[in-house]
Each structure stands twice: as C-alpha cells, then as structure tokens.
Amino acid sequence: MSIVAPLGSGMRSEYHAAMKLSLKIGAALAFCAAAALAPCSTFAQPAPATIRTLAVQASKSSAQPTGPYDERGWLDRFYGPRKYAPAWNPTTAAAALWVLNRATLQGLDPRDYGADALQRQLSAGGGDPARFDVALTSAMLHYLADLRVGRVRSEYHTRLPDARLRQYDPVERLRAGLAGGKLQAAVKAAEPQLRLYGQVKAALAHYRDLAKQPYPALPAPGAKVAPGGTYPAARDLFERLVLLGDLPADAAPPPDGTYSESMEEGVQHFQARHGLLDDGVLGRGTIDALNVSPAWRVRQLELTLERLRWLPEVGRGPMIMVDLPAYRLWALDNGSDAAQSAEAPLEMRVVVGALKTETPLFVGQMRYLEFNPYWNVPRSILEKEILPKMARNPRYLEQNDMETVPANASVADLKAGKARVRQRPGAKNALGAIKFAMPNPMDIYLHSTPAREAFQRSRRDLSHGCIRVEHPAALAQFVLARQRQWNADTIQDALQPGPTKHVDLAQSIPVVIFYATAIVDTDGSARFAGDIYGRDAKLRQMLAARRSL
C-alpha cells in the first residue's frame, strides 16, 4: 500500500475524472453562473454603511474559537480595504455557490456553509442584499479555512491559531480570487498538497457512486467455506467482488452454489484491503465486511480527508508515515510528483499500541539510530509488570538480561524512583537490534523486535505504545541513504550482536503518526481498517457538535 503510487485500474478513471473536473472548473463556473443569472437582473447593491455594521456585529458576536482557527475580525479585514463596498455580483455569487454546493467532493458538508439558504436568496435576487453579501463572504472564508486546516482541533494543532493560515490567509486569498476572477484558484490552493489527498478524494467519489445503488446483504455461511466448497450465494458473492473491484469484470462466474477456486484470489484481495487474514476462506468476518454499506465507507473516507487537512506541512525530502489502524508504515520522498512516481515508497507492517496503551498521534523528528540498543524500561511498565514479576521470581532480571541503574539497586529504590531498570542488548532485548529515535515527551519511537510472529497477525495493536517495524534493515537503509558511509552491507554488519552504536542523522526526518480507517492502496483500490481506538466515532461526534453550534 502506498500513499504516493498512481491509482490502478479499479479507480484510475475516477482519479483522472477528478483531475479533469478540476481543470474545467473555470468553464463550469462560468456556465453555472450564466444559467443562474437570468432571474437575478434585479440583484440590488447594498450600502457600504450597512455592510460595515453587519461585519462589525459579526466580529463582536463571534465566540471564543474552539476549532483550529480564529475567524474573529475576518469580515472587517476583508471589507475594510474595499471601504465596505459589496463584494459579490450575480456572476461571482453563482460561482461561489457552485463551489459550496460541491463541498462533498472534499468530504465537507454544504450545510456547514448555509449553501441552500444562500442559493435560495440568490435565486430570489439576493434577498436582503447586505446580509446576503456578508453571509456569502463568511461562508467562503470558513470553507477555505476548513479546507486548509480542518474543522476541529486535533493533536496536530496547538492552542494557538493554525500557523498555516498565516501562509494561506483566507481573507487575502478570497480577496485576490475575486479581484482576479480566479476564485477556484483560491480553493485549489487551500487543499492539502499531499498526493494522497487527491487519491482519497477519487476513492470518495467512487464510493459515492456505489452508494447510489445499495446492495443486499450476503448470507453468512454456517461454517467456514474453503475454495471448492458449497456457498449458496456464490453468484451474488462473485458479483459483489466484481462491483468492488476485487475481481476483474471479465472474470469467469462460478458454478451455481460453489465457491470456486477462481474466486479465491478476489476474496483474498478483499480480505487484504479490509485488514482481515487473507487466507481466501469465507467466514463470518469476511462476509460481515462484504456487507458493510458503501455509504459507511463514504463516511470513513470523509474522515480521512478531514485528518489529512490536520497534518502540518513537513516540507520536501524523506518522510515516514505510520497509519495506526492499518498497521502500516511508508517511507517515501515527499517531493515533486515526478519524484514520487519515479520510486515506489518503502512499505511494511507494524505493531502499534494496544487499546490501554495507545500510540499517540503526533509529528516527530527522527534524529538518530541506535544499533544494539539498551531498552530503558518505562516507569509505567516497571511498576505494572516488572516489579510484580520480580516479587514472584527474584531472578527475573537476571533471566531476562536486565539490570538496575545504578547497579544492584534494591526493590525499595526501584519503587521510590531512585533507580531504574534496563535490558542489555542481545537476543532477548525487546527493541531487537535497532532503535529509531525521535525524541518526544511520550518517549515513543520505532524499533525492531525479536517477536517476529506478531507481524503475521491481522490485528497488531499489541505494544505498550512504541511502534515495532517489520523490516528494520530496509528502514535503516532508507533513513541513512544520504550518509555515504552507510549501505546495505554496513547496516547488516551493525545489526549483528555487539556494543551499542549511536548514529546521528545528517538531517532529521519527519515521522507522521497518523490515524485513518480508510486510505488508498498501491493499485488504486481503497483499503479499510477497524476503528481500533474508537477515534472515528469520536470525530463524528465532534463534527456533529460543531454543526449544532
């Protein structure tokens, strides 16, 4: 799975359609405006004094911001330089409403911007012209800000207004877009520049189309069905797999009532896309996932777009991204589209924090590696796990290659915080042969592991919060690629048992710890995962609460 690879046959047409739509929006806006203007010949021009009064009132009545931006004063800043002259005419108002009514393309909701009411006012000639002008300006400013930094505050936001709105100022962008007849350019510039964002938008459009024709539920088998076994709804299953893109459209249909071997590959592909054990066996979990409605997948994809809007800009160069519910890591060059398409990203499975010890969301900076590291046991693990085991087995530290610091400290010193426990490098070390350090207050980092069997599990939320990586040597090669003294051979040598070796990176590498239950795979198909930490449900509640304010 890649966040940069081009879309495959399943969704390539959707992606290109979205790109063509973006290129033709200027013409579409003009057409839309012309079609809407006939009844608006009496569109009245409001008095500047009235607009000024409304703008000032809006600034005074705005509540303390709870989201990632502070819109107080925006209207005054927008209208002040134009001496509070009205901003909109029938043509530009129709163009703006065309944009707002298509907010669903971005996973946003036109209702958040009062699009329907504004459309009715425009069709009636503007209604109260001053209130219409100010309301449409406010709606567009909020839309641009939402598209740029998201609608609700997240772990990636600070308590201060999002700094990205200094680089992309909605007020200045809207003013320039209107003055230059380039309203859509202001909208396009607000979108996150990650290629993944466009891919998820295409997936969203695809699943919206699927949701227009809901399909019936497939019956659960009485027992697990292997290829060649009997499944009465085999033909329905075949059609479902073709519809979802897991089987090609020209695949041979199965004999009636038989789960054929030719369908196994499609089921395996579906299972892999949905975080299931991809064994090709039909069981309740696979059928349950097949019965999830496209409308629900639409909601998952909408939440992913919102979360992508939260991410701070990390700049060009190497970066690492970890999607927790997908249990996946990608290491890639966050450069131009050409650079992104020239080299596939490094991808691997990961083990992440369990529900009681969730891996937190943040953007860290990887600064150094340690080959053959010590594992400094966190205080929480010492108190909850190590000390009870020491009480039952006085030789526990010795048997697990552990020691106290300072040496030979007593249990009383450990309990009092006067000493700590660490595990020596070696075969038993919980961090394996390498640690990828990104200093942070939570003491979260990436590392290898001697427990290789965990990567074969479909559900891998098993750690105390740190992230175990499947291919540590490959990740080390990516991280050290710009340091000439390091290559595949020298890295393999450093991974062999020996003394701890600290290696500073020539340049820190951003590590984005991310949460998305819907994303795009290397072949262009959507991948879905379980909401392991319940974050989707919480985000839906936050967005609903915002709408009710």
Side-chain angles (χ1 to χ4, degrees):
M1 176 183 172
S2 167
I3 69 171
V4 296
L7 294 172
S9 58
M11 280 171 45
R12 190 179 289 115
S13 60
E14 294 288 344
Y15 181 75
H16 290 310
M19 295 302 100
K20 289 177 182 178
L21 175 63
S22 177
L23 292 174
K24 295 179 179 178
I25 275 179
L29 288 177
F31 174 82
C32 172
L37 293 186
C40 299
S41 58
T42 59
F43 195 91
Q45 290 296 301
T50 307
I51 290 180
R52 179 174 185 175
T53 298
L54 291 172
V56 172
Q57 288 176 347
S59 296
K60 290 182 178 180
S61 62
S62 296
Q64 183 73 20
T66 57
Y69 56 83
D70 186 351
E71 70 271 25
R72 293 175 297 178
W74 279 2
L75 289 172
D76 208 37
R77 284 180 53 219
F78 178 84
Y79 282 105
R82 54 187 301 120
K83 301 186 185 305
Y84 297 92
W88 305 95
N89 59 44
T91 302
T92 55
L97 285 168
W98 192 90
V99 170
L100 294 178
N101 280 314
R102 284 153 184 78
T104 52
L105 296 175
Q106 308 281 359
L108 297 172
D109 192 334
R111 293 176 298 174
D112 287 350
Y113 313 105
D116 286 347
L118 289 167
Q119 186 69 63
R120 288 193 297 270
Q121 292 176 51
L122 177 63
S123 299
D128 181 331
R131 291 189 182 278
F132 175 82
D133 204 278
V134 172
L136 183 54
T137 299
S138 179
M140 284 300 298
L141 290 173
H142 280 92
Y143 177 73
L144 294 176
D146 288 350
L147 193 54
R148 185 60 173 158
V149 300
R151 292 166 284 177
V152 296
R153 191 176 296 279
S154 73
E155 287 89 341
Y156 305 106
H157 295 108
T158 68
R159 283 294 161 191
L160 299 174
D162 197 299
R164 288 174 293 168
L165 291 184
R166 291 197 296 269
Q167 302 166 351
Y168 179 96
D169 183 347
V171 172
E172 294 299 329
R173 293 285 184 151
L174 181 59
R175 183 187 293 120
L178 278 173
K182 297 180 179 179
L183 186 61
Q184 183 57 26
V187 174
K188 188 64 180 174
E191 290 188 24
Q193 299 306 300
L194 281 173
R195 187 170 180 178
L196 176 61
Y197 188 86
Q199 292 176 320
V200 176
K201 277 177 60 180
L204 176 61
H206 178 66
Y207 273 82
R208 282 196 192 282
D209 285 343
L210 291 177
K212 294 175 182 177
Q213 296 180 327
Y215 38 67
L218 296 169
K224 291 186 176 182
V225 181
T230 299
Y231 181 59
R235 184 60 64 93
D236 293 334
L237 171 61
F238 170 81
E239 293 175 355
R240 183 72 51 81
L241 292 171
V242 171
L243 179 66
L244 296 177
D246 295 295
L247 277 178
D250 59 355
D256 289 342
T258 301
Y259 174 41
S260 65
E261 292 185 3
S262 63
M263 294 169 63
E264 180 184 12
E265 184 176 347
V267 169
Q268 287 178 315
H269 188 264
F270 176 87
Q271 289 170 329
R273 287 199 304 115
H274 292 78
L276 303 169
L277 180 64
D278 53 345
D279 57 3
V281 175
L282 281 182
R284 181 172 294 276
T286 298
I287 295 299
D288 286 347
L290 282 160
N291 286 335
V292 172
S293 70
W296 184 258
R297 300 307 188 193
V298 165
R299 288 192 282 273
Q300 287 181 274
L301 289 160
E302 288 175 337
L303 296 184
T304 297
L305 290 175
E306 173 68 10
R307 287 170 169 135
L308 288 171
R309 290 188 283 266
W310 294 345
L311 294 180
E313 295 175 353
V314 297
R316 294 180 180 273
M319 69 172 288
I320 295 168
M321 189 170 188
V322 179
D323 184 1
L324 300 180
Y327 311 118
R328 294 283 189 211
L329 175 149
W330 305 271
L332 55 116
D333 181 8
N334 186 41
S336 64
D337 286 349
Q340 289 176 345
S341 60
E343 185 176 350
L346 174 65
E347 175 191 356
M348 65 188 70
R349 291 178 250 191
V350 296
V351 173
V352 304
L355 182 60
K356 292 183 178 180
T357 52
E358 297 180 11
T359 300
L361 307 186
F362 68 103
V363 178
Q365 294 290 328
M366 187 178 295
R367 301 189 184 280
Y368 65 91
L369 310 183
E370 282 185 352
F371 292 98
N372 293 300
Y374 282 89
W375 177 41
N376 293 298
V377 178
R379 183 74 189 171
S380 59
I381 298 177
L382 173 65
E383 293 177 346
K384 295 178 181 179
E385 299 182 27
I386 304 299
L387 288 175
K389 290 176 180 178
M390 290 174 63
R392 294 191 297 270
N393 178 8
R395 298 186 61 225
Y396 177 82
L397 295 185
E398 177 187 350
Q399 292 171 354
N400 288 276
D401 286 342
M402 291 181 171
E403 61 188 14
T404 64
V405 180
N408 302 316
S410 66
V411 171
D413 287 341
L414 291 172
K415 290 182 177 179
K418 296 178 180 180
R420 57 186 175 88
V421 169
R422 68 179 183 180
Q423 190 173 38
R424 292 183 289 271
K428 295 182 180 180
N429 187 281
L431 304 188
I434 188 169
K435 169 184 174 179
F436 303 85
M438 44 183 182
N440 58 85
M442 295 83 71
D443 199 23
I444 298 297
Y445 45 85
L446 282 59
H447 64 88
S448 56
T449 176
R452 302 287 305 165
E453 65 280 0
F455 295 112
Q456 303 308 312
R457 299 176 60 165
S458 59
R459 181 158 183 169
R460 297 190 293 277
D461 48 331
L462 307 168
S463 81
H464 289 91
C466 286
I467 298 166
R468 308 172 196 167
V469 300
E470 183 181 20
H471 302 302
L475 184 59
Q477 192 168 347
F478 171 86
V479 167
L480 295 171
R482 298 188 176 188
Q483 297 177 222
R484 294 182 180 179
Q485 68 271 35
W486 291 100
N487 55 43
D489 292 335
T490 55
I491 288 171
Q492 283 297 332
D493 289 343
L495 289 170
Q496 302 308 308
T500 300
K501 185 177 183 63
H502 179 105
V503 180
D504 288 319
L505 300 186
Q507 182 178 350
S508 63
I509 295 177
V511 181
V512 180
I513 311 299
F514 187 62
Y515 192 97
T517 60
I519 208 161
V520 175
D521 210 337
T522 48
D523 64 357
S525 55
R527 177 186 286 269
F528 300 97
D531 186 12
I532 58 173
Y533 296 162
R535 285 180 170 269
D536 276 7
K538 292 176 183 176
L539 179 53
R540 283 192 293 269
Q541 292 173 358
M542 292 171 67
L543 293 171
R546 176 184 183 272
R547 186 171 298 124
S548 66
L549 293 176

